[in-house]
Amino acid sequence: MKEKLMRFMQGRYGSDELNITLLVLSVILSILSPVTEIFSGLSMVCLCYAIYRMFSKNIYKRRCENAKIVPYFSFIKAKFKNKGQAKIFMCPKCKRTLRVPKGKGRITLTCPCGEQLKRKS
Ligand SMILES: [Zn+2]
């Protein structure tokens, strides 16, 4: 049985950060589903997409999807983590998260990729 499952999963994508986020989102939406029917439908869509990604054999495409979405998750996570202490910016070129202490006025940020951002902290 274990060998059959291993053979079935061979060459398939498996799980990553985006899949875990989709599954958590699906659980949260299913908990909220008694509020409206839309949450129930969205929960099923998230779950089906996570399962599709998990069993997909197009590994390159799944990795590209993950690489596109994960910087936004880390940006949101950093924003919540540094709330009130620092300002968080995302480089438009390389999608890297930049952290600046709050209350420094207008500043010019230089990303490690060379992009310069003029922002207010
Ligand atoms: Zn950059």
Side-chain angles (χ1 to χ4, degrees):
M1 184 66 193
K2 191 178 174 185
E3 276 185 33
K4 266 188 175 179
L5 184 68
M6 282 174 68
R7 207 173 305 129
F8 176 72
M9 286 305 289
Q10 209 164 38
R12 296 186 191 269
Y13 186 63
S15 191
D16 61 1
E17 293 97 336
L18 180 57
N19 256 12
I20 292 166
T21 307
L22 281 169
L23 291 173
V24 169
L25 190 67
S26 174
V27 168
I28 291 168
L29 287 171
S30 69
I31 290 168
L32 294 173
S33 64
V35 178
T36 55
E37 287 289 313
I38 297 165
F39 289 143
S40 173
L42 284 173
S43 167
M44 285 305 295
V45 169
C46 286
L47 186 67
C48 290
Y49 189 55
I51 291 169
Y52 166 75
R53 292 189 80 248
M54 207 175 283
F55 295 123
S56 172
K57 284 189 172 180
N58 194 345
I59 293 169
Y60 175 73
K61 213 169 186 179
R62 301 291 89 80
R63 278 199 183 140
C64 287
E65 286 172 355
N66 194 44
K68 274 184 192 169
I69 302 292
V70 165
Y72 295 101
F73 291 145
S74 65
F75 174 71
I76 292 167
K77 192 176 165 185
K79 264 205 161 204
F80 274 106
K81 194 177 173 187
N82 297 298
K83 205 171 185 181
Q85 298 168 347
K87 276 274 198 172
I88 306 297
F89 301 104
M90 182 185 275
C91 173
K93 194 176 172 186
C94 67
K95 309 291 181 213
R96 199 172 288 177
T97 303
L98 305 168
R99 184 179 178 275
V100 178
K102 232 175 184 177
K104 297 285 178 186
R106 279 216 165 282
I107 52 167
T108 305
L109 291 163
T110 307
C111 180
C113 73
E115 184 80 2
Q116 290 202 330
L117 312 162
K118 287 183 181 170
R119 298 285 147 81
K120 190 180 168 200
S121 68

